[in-house]
Amino acid sequence: MLRPQDTITRETKRLDGMWSFTADFDGVGRDEGWWRSALPDATGMPVPSSFNDVFVVPRLHDHVGDVWYQRHVFVPRGWAGQRVVLRFDAATHRAVAWVGDTQVAEHEGGYTPFEADITALVGAGEELRLTVVVNNELTWHSIPPGTVEVMPTGVRRQRQYHDFFNYSGLHRSVWLYSTPRTYVDDITVVTDFDGETGVVGYTTVIARPDTTTVRVALRDADGREVAHTTGGGGELRVPGPELWRPGRGYLYELQVDLLDDDALVDRYTLPVGIRTVRVDGTQFLVNGEPFYFRGFGKHEDLNVHGRGHDDVAMVHDFSLLTWIGANSFRTSHYPYAEEVLDHADRLGIVVIDETAAVGLNLGVGAGLFLGGPKTTYSEETIGSATLEAHRQSIKELIARDKNHPCVVLWSLANEPESHTQAARDYFEPLFATARRADPSRPVGFVNMMFALPDTCTVTGLADVVMINRYYGWYVEPGDLDAAERGLEAELSAWSSRHGKPIIVTEYGADTLAGLHTTAGSLWSEEYQMALLETYHRVFDRVDAVVGEHVWNFADFATGPSFMRVDGNKKGVFTRDRRPKMAAHELRRRWLGVSAPDRSSA
Ligand code: GCB
């Protein structure tokens, strides 16, 4: 799905800012038709943001159900004769939107965009009333799953099977944009090499093609045309291309022009990085060269903003990634804002792109903490309806992110149950869906420790092994000798049994910033540092390990749990992005800079 864009034939209007907002505590808005007039008891709510932490209202912080947003917007006079589209970059976890009294969109899934062609409903120069109801309930049929419990007081409480706060709302931008009536609807780019020549394969989807022709041109970063051709699909050949490389995100620009005779009908431009990605034995190759992932699992999580996208915070996070010497991260545990991938493209930061399928493992969530059912895959729990939502989330993720050179690997789920035949049956069609949608990238999922090298039934479907391990924390807490032995034995077993590259996608320890102990006890900064050093010694001894992603980049908010002290504290940075001691250790390992260092690297 193409992003809204300003070109000579298109215009965008970002609808961010203050919207009218009402939390529907009594769940009556849909029956009462709240979209038909001004919202009752409305207050101002900034978009984008999570609604949870903006106000100091506990009831809103924990609200489970519907919230309503509304605003008025003018369709610019200059859009006469154009197609007018309303687009939500994300509404977490589902939404229905109305223009005036007419429902125009309905979408399931909290982290991928959806849009509605509203041309027939609005005229250029007219004002329209835009209303959207966002619902944040997680059920057995949603991705991620959860259950809603109604308490004796009538209050609804969210039970969830994942370890981060259920931030909700309009987390990303809302747009009104125009295109011509005949327009470029989609572009897919796949790059390759033929000897010293870069090959940019492309296909287009044109809506209402009529008598149009497609002309494409590729320009280098200085704006010089390096190749052009005509036709709805084909190849551009670039002799001696400048490659998109980790650490150097060189981007060409593909300009797609739709012509009627010689008249320009529509234009769309797409950044293109020429690079290849391939798995060969136990190596992960980018441009044919072995790549080693250094970085983090992250979260979109910030004080007050919650999961609301913010360019300032994003650029700062990337700056910290560069400072510490990270070359990659995983979008744990959901697709991140498109702005994040754009920035990663520009900087040459490599991304493992993950769906929102987290918590498909009742052995962990229900068994250990929550009570309730323990059979993960069944029609009463994760069943065919969940599978459909999961399949749709994979399709939408790939449709959205397929053209980003930074994305090198799809992660279909985080820590699902994966040691049973039921797990294999569940995941087989999902891997097929991902491979059909994108034959050009490796596909995997993130394994948790209940499924070991000889019992995991799903790894056989994947191109890489991604594992989260907590030796020295949840397993053998405090005993780093035991951790070292256990980790090494397990990694060696993965390597000999599966012969695939291994990325350790999570390892870490909760660490209270400022807690120092000479004994290096649990929760201290000393322990976090010693644990990371232990893991790194092991990684350096196992050839098949091609990546280390520390859990987590920064401390983050979670739901209530006796295991969490004001959130998850496994960050290498605090929630307000100050380095813990371990950050200096990572900088030493990844950049060779001795810690602490005051030079401006
Ligand atoms: C995990 C999960 C992650 C948690 C982490 C932890 O395995 O993938 O979402 O936050 O462990 O800190 O327990």
Side-chain angles (χ1 to χ4, degrees), residues 292-295 323-326 507 529 532-542 545-550 582-595:
Y292 191 92
F293 295 77
R294 299 186 310 258
W323 174 85
I324 206 166
Y507 60 107
M529 206 159 116
L532 297 187
E533 282 170 343
T534 303
Y535 276 66
H536 296 156
R537 276 197 301 278
V538 176
F539 296 163
D540 293 346
R541 292 197 292 261
V542 181
V545 172
V546 301
E548 51 195 59
H549 276 178
V550 179
H584 297 286
E585 165 55 21
L586 286 170
R587 197 160 182 251
R588 189 197 57 71
R589 173 170 168 84
W590 291 344
L591 279 183
V593 176
S594 40

Side-chain angles (χ1 to χ4, degrees), residues 20-337:
S20 283
F21 175 89
T22 299
D24 191 358
F25 292 120
D26 299 323
V28 295
R30 293 183 198 233
D31 288 343
E32 292 180 359
W34 280 4
W35 62 90
R36 292 200 191 93
S37 53
L39 297 178
D41 304 320
T43 179
M45 177 64 77
V47 172
S49 74
S50 299
F51 64 74
N52 310 79
D53 287 349
V54 176
F55 292 95
V56 192
V57 177
R59 194 177 176 204
L60 185 57
H61 177 261
D62 297 327
H63 177 58
V64 178
D66 286 346
V67 295
W68 292 74
Y69 293 78
Q70 193 176 67
R71 64 165 282 170
H72 287 76
V73 52
F74 276 102
V75 179
R77 272 204 308 198
W79 291 11
Q82 294 283 91
R83 179 174 159 263
V84 180
V85 184
L86 172 66
R87 187 203 218 241
F88 295 85
D89 283 355
T92 313
H93 296 279
R94 64 188 60 76
V96 181
W98 291 263
V99 165
D101 288 349
T102 310
Q103 181 179 322
V104 295
E106 185 166 6
H107 184 257
E108 171 73 27
Y111 305 96
T112 42
F114 57 99
E115 57 182 33
D117 182 333
I118 59 168
T119 317
L121 293 174
V122 296
E126 283 175 17
E127 189 182 34
L128 58 91
R129 185 181 66 247
L130 180 56
T131 311
V132 52
V133 59
V134 180
N135 176 275
N136 68 351
E137 293 173 40
L138 300 175
T139 69
W140 291 125
H141 299 169
S142 64
I143 292 292
T147 52
V148 175
E149 199 181 349
V150 183
M151 308 308 286
T153 52
V155 168
R156 298 160 79 71
R157 203 165 70 181
Q158 183 67 60
R159 297 271 189 189
Q160 59 182 52
Y161 302 97
H162 54 75
D163 181 38
F164 50 94
F165 188 75
N166 188 30
Y167 280 121
S168 314
L170 292 178
H171 282 153
R172 299 174 190 160
S173 288
V174 183
W175 308 77
L176 205 58
Y177 72 92
S178 73
T179 75
R181 302 276 175 130
T182 299
Y183 61 98
V184 180
D185 192 23
D186 198 14
I187 306 170
T188 307
V189 165
V190 177
T191 63
D192 205 346
F193 315 129
D194 179 6
E196 297 295 296
T197 301
V199 182
V200 178
Y202 74 93
T203 52
T204 57
V205 178
I206 308 301
R208 307 205 321 167
D210 299 334
T211 56
T212 53
T213 54
V214 177
R215 183 176 68 193
V216 299
L218 192 72
R219 298 209 169 70
D220 66 16
D222 297 322
R224 272 190 301 267
E225 185 175 301
V226 294
H228 67 263
T229 188
T230 53
E235 253 180 36
L236 293 159
R237 297 179 70 83
V238 187
E242 190 79 50
L243 300 185
W244 188 95
R245 296 176 194 282
R248 183 156 195 277
Y250 189 93
L251 294 173
Y252 291 86
E253 183 182 83
L254 183 76
Q255 179 177 307
V256 177
D257 282 352
L258 198 55
L259 303 166
D260 192 353
D261 285 333
D262 268 343
L264 182 66
V265 177
D266 190 19
R267 170 169 296 171
Y268 196 90
T269 61
L270 191 75
V272 169
I274 301 181
R275 60 109 184 88
T276 60
V277 179
R278 203 157 51 81
V279 168
D280 185 12
T282 57
Q283 294 193 322
F284 194 97
L285 304 175
V286 178
N287 300 330
E289 288 165 16
F291 178 68
Y292 191 92
F293 295 77
R294 299 186 310 258
F296 301 93
K298 284 184 97 260
H299 264 299
E300 292 189 313
D301 173 276
L302 207 62
N303 200 16
V304 184
H305 296 247
R307 230 173 284 311
H309 175 75
D310 178 275
D311 276 347
V312 177
M314 173 189 77
V315 172
H316 186 58
D317 274 7
F318 274 97
S319 173
L320 290 170
L321 289 174
T322 308
W323 174 85
I324 206 166
N327 62 11
S328 55
F329 63 88
R330 174 169 60 117
T331 69
S332 40
H333 295 307
Y334 37 79
Y336 288 3

Side-chain angles (χ1 to χ4, degrees), residues 330 333 414-415 467-470 504-507 549 551:
R330 174 169 60 117
H333 295 307
N414 180 70
E415 297 195 344
I467 59 174
N468 297 344
R469 289 301 180 267
Y470 287 95
V504 181
T505 32
E506 288 184 24
Y507 60 107
H549 276 178
W551 189 256

